[in-house]
Every structure is written in structure tokens, then in C-alpha cells.
Amino acid sequence: MTDETHSVTLTCGPAVSRRRLLLLSSVSVFATAILGRTGGSSLAARAETVAAPQTLNSFMAFSKFATGHVSLDGDVGNALFSALAERDPAFLDNLAVLGGMVEDGSLPDVDAMEEHLRGTVLHDTLLSVVRAWYSGVTEEGSNAPVYAYEKALMYQPARDGVIIPTFARSGPNYWTAAPPPLAHMPEF
């Protein structure tokens, strides 16, 4: 037997100067900071594309008709609109048809529209808009992204007497409310 020594030479490519390394590191940090601002899990991050004002106005007008609520949050509306449009490629076309039906005034309310559309693709679009506003989500399942929690319409009728289910004390965003007034200290 002979003892053989094997040597391996690794080449890592051209040497990188400190100046180049500093430049590449700076660019990486900057890119991460910029991209990190848009990649969060907040409502604004989920609604990455802001709808064209005319299309968003049409969606909001139709949403007011479909839900019966005249005061709907514009940021939530933008997020729901973006999510519904992303999920269903035919959503924009269906929304245009539904909006036209509302504008022509042939259907007095959402109940009449629902009955008229039953069994059509437009019925599914109508229900998806109503479901999104009332539940705050656009998908089924436990991992569905939430676009409105405390602003979901299902909580609004009893908001003054029922705390929205949460693990946070006194409901979501409780820390934004004014603190209760101080009581007089007892004297001993």
C-alpha cells in the first residue's frame, strides 16, 4: 500500500475587492428595505395594486347597493376590490354588468337583484361582493387573508354592545381608544 495525499484546490471565481463587496452589500440592504415595505401582511400590503378611481368608484357604488350600507370604508373597499379582481378573471366584466343593472333602476333592491340573477354567473359575483364585505375575507378556509376584521359588516349591528372576538383585551385596536377617565383616589 502506498500513502497518497490528495489535495483539492477550490476556486471561488475572481477575487472580490472590499469596495465591490461594500457596494453589493449596500445595494442588497437598500433593496431589502424597499421591498420589505411592500411585503407586509397588512391591509395596505395585500391590496398592492390600487384600483383606478373610476373602477373603484363603480365597485363602491355597487357595494353600497349590494350591502345596503351607505357608509363603507374606502381602504377596505380597495383591498376587497383588488382581491376579488385577482381571484376571478371575469370579475371586472361581471361588475360592469351588475353596475349597469343598478344604474338602469330596473331592480329596486338587492333582494330583487338576487332573485333575478339566481342560477347565473352574475349571482356568484353578487354573493362574493356581499360575502367579502360582511366577513372581511374573499376566500374560504382558515388560511384566508383577512382584509377587514373590526370593519367587517357582520360586527356593525351589535358593535356598541358586543366585543368583537379576539385575544386582545377589549377588542381589536383597543389601544387606539382614549383611556377611561381617572377615578378619584380614596382617602384613608
Side-chain angles (χ1 to χ4, degrees):
M1 269 196 202
T2 61
D3 287 331
E4 294 181 14
T5 305
H6 297 288
S7 74
V8 177
T9 305
L10 296 175
T11 58
C12 297
V16 177
S17 69
R18 280 187 264 182
R19 206 173 266 177
R20 184 163 174 82
L21 180 63
L22 181 61
L23 176 67
L24 291 174
S25 298
S26 299
V27 168
S28 296
V29 168
F30 180 73
T32 302
I34 295 299
L35 294 175
R37 290 182 187 194
T38 60
S41 61
S42 68
L43 173 74
R46 287 197 195 112
E48 289 174 5
T49 52
V50 176
Q54 184 178 7
T55 309
L56 182 59
N57 289 341
S58 298
F59 175 73
M60 293 300 289
F62 177 72
S63 294
K64 289 174 183 179
F65 175 83
T67 62
H69 289 262
V70 294
S71 178
L72 296 174
D73 187 275
D75 291 335
V76 173
N78 187 36
L80 292 175
F81 173 77
S82 297
L84 290 167
E86 181 181 323
R87 188 163 183 233
D88 180 8
F91 180 76
L92 293 176
D93 294 333
N94 292 348
L95 181 64
V97 173
L98 290 169
M101 294 173 77
V102 171
E103 286 176 10
D104 77 11
S106 62
L107 300 168
D109 57 19
V110 70
D111 294 326
M113 178 180 270
E114 190 273 332
E115 188 176 325
H116 177 73
L117 297 175
R118 210 170 280 160
T120 68
V121 177
L122 294 175
H123 186 258
D124 295 339
T125 302
L126 169 66
L127 293 183
S128 69
V129 170
V130 173
R131 186 180 309 115
W133 278 105
Y134 273 88
S135 66
V137 298
T138 60
E139 301 173 20
E140 300 293 326
S142 59
N143 291 327
V146 178
Y147 299 96
Y149 184 65
E150 70 273 6
K151 294 181 181 179
L153 295 181
M154 69 178 167
Y155 295 121
Q156 301 314 307
R159 188 170 180 89
D160 61 340
V162 177
I163 294 174
I164 297 172
T166 182
F167 290 108
R169 185 183 134 246
S170 299
N173 296 328
Y174 72 92
W175 56 88
T176 60
L182 294 175
H184 294 288
M185 291 295 295
E187 294 182 28
F188 297 102

